[in-house]
Amino acid sequence: MFGIPNAWRMWTRIVVPVEKNWHPTNGPRPRGAKAVIDESTAPRLSAVVGDGEFSEFAGVAAHGAPEGSATTTAALIRRNTPAAAIAVATLACLWVGNRMNQSLPDTVAHAGADGGSFGEPTAAAGPMFGAGRDPGARGGDPAMNLKNSARVAVLAVTAAVTANGALAGDAVQWRVADGGNGHWYGISASATTWATASASARSAGAWLADIEADQEGVFIASLWAMFGLTDGAWAGGYQANESCGPNCGWAWSSGEAWGYTNWNANEPNDFSGPESRLELSPVNSLAEWFDAPDSPSYLRRAVIEWSADCNSDGIVDYGQCRDGTLPDYNGNNIPDCCERSEACVVGSYPLQWRVADGGNGHWYQIDATSMTWEVARDRASSQSGYLATITNGSEQRFLSTLDWSIITQWGVWLGARRQSCTWQWVNGESWGYDNWAPNEPSGGCFDAFLLLYVQLGTNNELRWDDCICPPDGTPTGSLIEWSADCNNDNIVDFGQILNGTLPDTNTNGIPDCCEPGNKCCLGDIYENHIIDGGDLGVLLSEWGVVTPTTRSDLNRDGFVDGADLGRLLGNWGPCGG
């Protein structure tokens, strides 16, 4: 390994795989592998940032994160991924990214056959490598290399700090219509100790699954195929008192009463010594139970269950957070209205058409207040939005998922009007797609406003109508859309204001940093218009719970952690660069 920095050599030494062991109870059951840290290296790692935090790592890794109602995802990241470890990983990723960029010209020169796309002088100058700045350079803009390295680091560090407790795929619901309880279930992505799995589940607004009947066990057993699970998995059962023998003192971590059981033959049996945690494995299409050791070397993925209904509307909160009917802008699977002790009014919150779902990333909200078209237009503008524009069928179908039951008038205003026989969108988008109701538009060349309404007798099918009204329109509701991205980070500002990423102290819908005289440069802690090692050093030195002097809590969630580090690295380099 030629020219590799000392920090990288250190990182390759401290992460060592442990051989898998086997638990012989009722046939071989594989134990997971875990990464450990060389104790002799920990003091030197701690010295990298001088925070003294890395010395805790061995204990945390061995015993798992503490469990409790106050545990959060940020806290788990903080406990399981100390600042010094992240510092070393960051340096390593930056180095690797820089080496990749340095070798890019050679890679491009040899990547394709003569006459292929890589044979062109400009082929390598894609947007990520600064195409807009130096369209004639094979290796892209050299000034962008450092920022590209930071982006490489962002991907690696983000993967590292979010793996713990993350699901291996979307959770699935055991629907009431299918004879279920309406709860949602998933499988964690990582194998951990029972205690860490339990704490991770609670940080996600859930808990390790409890099983109350055969039917639930059958549904949970089906998760193995859905999530690609091959070993056993933790459930929420634990033995509070081990001294009374293997078959007494069991309880559910959720607080549910212990009653139904489905132990495998000859279980529980304390085969390898005290075995006080419940492990599930699908046997004959039913999740059967095994007692397993509470050991730092015995690692399993976990069955996670969501059943909370904080507003007592008979619908599990997790599903409402997923579909946007109740807001969860901080992403903890607990409706924000419940956290603020406010009444939860389904359908009255902004909803994003997510890019991950094929959308445009914009936010939409129905305003049921009765207003004329021009008042509605000005009201939307005062919130830094506009009356919604619908430019394709996919957007129309997404909007049909909003809660239209809150509209008691004829419909809602859209952001278009007809003047001199021509329809125009208020935001200047070209007019192309339409979805008129039968026999509409009916007003010829008269001036009119565009109205959106639900077609009666349909499943929320939306139709358009031209409203030939007095000059200021007939009072009705409106549909607002937000798409502004003032800091050009490819994320709509409105969502970043909602989740606290970009403050909006004067509540005008514009991030404070985008106001006149300010500059959005998230991570510029020194405020010298460049994000560099000085800002990174401050962030690492302030790792953990915020204090009155903390400057590095970039997402304002009360912790300086991996989420803030990712934001800083993502903006690495000159502000606006």
Side-chain angles (χ1 to χ4, degrees), residues 110-175:
H110 299 90
D114 292 341
S117 61
F118 280 107
E120 299 299 325
T122 60
M128 184 173 180
F129 295 98
R133 301 188 182 198
D134 186 7
R138 287 183 186 268
D141 183 359
M144 290 294 287
N145 282 345
L146 184 56
K147 181 162 283 191
N148 295 336
S149 302
R151 286 170 176 156
V152 173
V154 170
L155 295 176
V157 173
T158 301
V161 300
T162 58
N164 187 35
L167 287 180
D170 286 338
V172 293
Q173 186 181 32
W174 189 26
R175 300 185 306 167

Side-chain angles (χ1 to χ4, degrees), residues 219-244:
F219 177 82
I220 288 177
S222 70
L223 300 178
W224 265 249
M226 291 184 197
F227 290 87
L229 189 59
T230 56
D231 293 335
W234 295 125
Y238 71 101
Q239 195 176 22
N241 181 6
E242 301 176 9
S243 62
C244 61

Side-chain angles (χ1 to χ4, degrees), residues 312-564:
S312 302
D313 63 353
I315 305 174
V316 174
D317 301 330
Y318 179 81
Q320 293 177 298
C321 290
R322 279 170 55 105
D323 64 23
T325 53
L326 291 179
D328 177 31
Y329 301 128
N330 59 9
N332 65 353
N333 297 318
I334 301 172
D336 298 337
C337 50
C338 293
E339 293 185 290
R340 295 193 297 260
S341 300
E342 298 173 355
C344 295
V345 182
V346 172
S348 63
Y349 303 99
L351 185 63
Q352 186 184 33
W353 189 21
R354 299 182 304 173
V355 174
D357 297 332
N360 54 20
H362 297 186
W363 289 79
Y364 302 81
Q365 183 175 21
I366 296 175
D367 188 339
T369 307
S370 183
M371 294 171 285
T372 63
W373 185 91
E374 292 183 345
V375 170
R377 176 198 60 190
D378 295 343
R379 180 182 174 106
S381 179
S382 71
Q383 301 174 56
S384 297
Y386 48 86
L387 292 180
T389 64
I390 304 177
T391 58
N392 57 68
S394 296
E395 188 173 14
Q396 173 100 1
R397 286 188 291 274
F398 166 75
L399 293 174
S400 71
T401 66
L402 301 179
D403 184 9
W404 292 93
S405 66
I406 66 175
I407 294 296
T408 58
Q409 309 98 335
W410 174 239
V412 294
W413 295 124
L414 290 179
R417 66 187 305 176
R418 180 176 60 206
Q419 291 180 300
S420 301
C421 302
T422 302
W423 284 99
Q424 292 182 327
W425 293 111
V426 292
N427 65 352
E429 290 186 271
S430 60
W431 186 270
Y433 170 81
D434 61 56
N435 191 39
W436 297 107
N439 303 317
E440 298 291 345
S442 58
C445 279
F446 289 100
D447 290 353
F449 305 100
L450 184 56
L451 192 70
L452 180 70
Y453 69 94
V454 176
Q455 180 79 39
L456 295 177
T458 65
N459 184 24
N460 272 12
E461 190 173 340
L462 301 176
R463 287 289 183 265
W464 298 11
D465 186 15
D466 59 337
C467 181
I468 304 171
C469 314
D472 58 354
T474 299
T476 188
S478 59
L479 180 61
I480 307 174
E481 180 176 357
W482 289 268
S483 64
D485 177 21
C486 69
N487 60 341
N488 298 314
D489 63 354
N490 296 318
I491 305 174
V492 175
D493 301 330
F494 186 73
Q496 293 177 296
I497 291 172
L498 290 175
N499 66 23
T501 301
L502 296 178
D504 176 28
T505 54
N506 60 3
T507 65
N508 66 348
I510 301 174
D512 294 344
C513 63
C514 292
E515 298 281 6
N518 295 336
K519 181 75 173 179
C520 280
C521 196
L522 194 64
D524 181 19
I525 300 170
Y526 274 116
E527 298 181 357
N528 60 352
H529 307 293
I530 184 171
I531 300 173
D532 55 18
D535 304 302
L536 176 61
V538 173
L539 185 147
L540 293 173
S541 70
E542 294 181 341
W543 197 268
V545 180
V546 301
T547 69
T549 60
T550 297
R551 295 171 291 167
S552 306
D553 183 16
L554 304 182
N555 64 354
R556 298 174 182 263
D557 66 351
F559 302 95
V560 177
D561 54 24
D564 303 300

Side-chain angles (χ1 to χ4, degrees), residues 40-102:
S40 65
T41 311
R44 283 177 285 166
L45 278 174
S46 187
V48 172
V49 292
D51 65 354
E53 184 174 334
F54 204 79
S55 59
E56 301 175 353
F57 184 77
V60 173
H63 300 99
E67 180 183 351
S69 59
T71 304
T72 65
T73 303
L76 285 170
I77 292 173
R78 192 170 64 257
R79 282 189 280 266
N80 290 319
T81 316
I86 287 181
V88 177
T90 302
L91 291 172
C93 292
L94 287 171
W95 179 83
V96 171
N98 189 49
R99 294 281 293 181
M100 289 170 65
N101 287 330
Q102 290 174 0

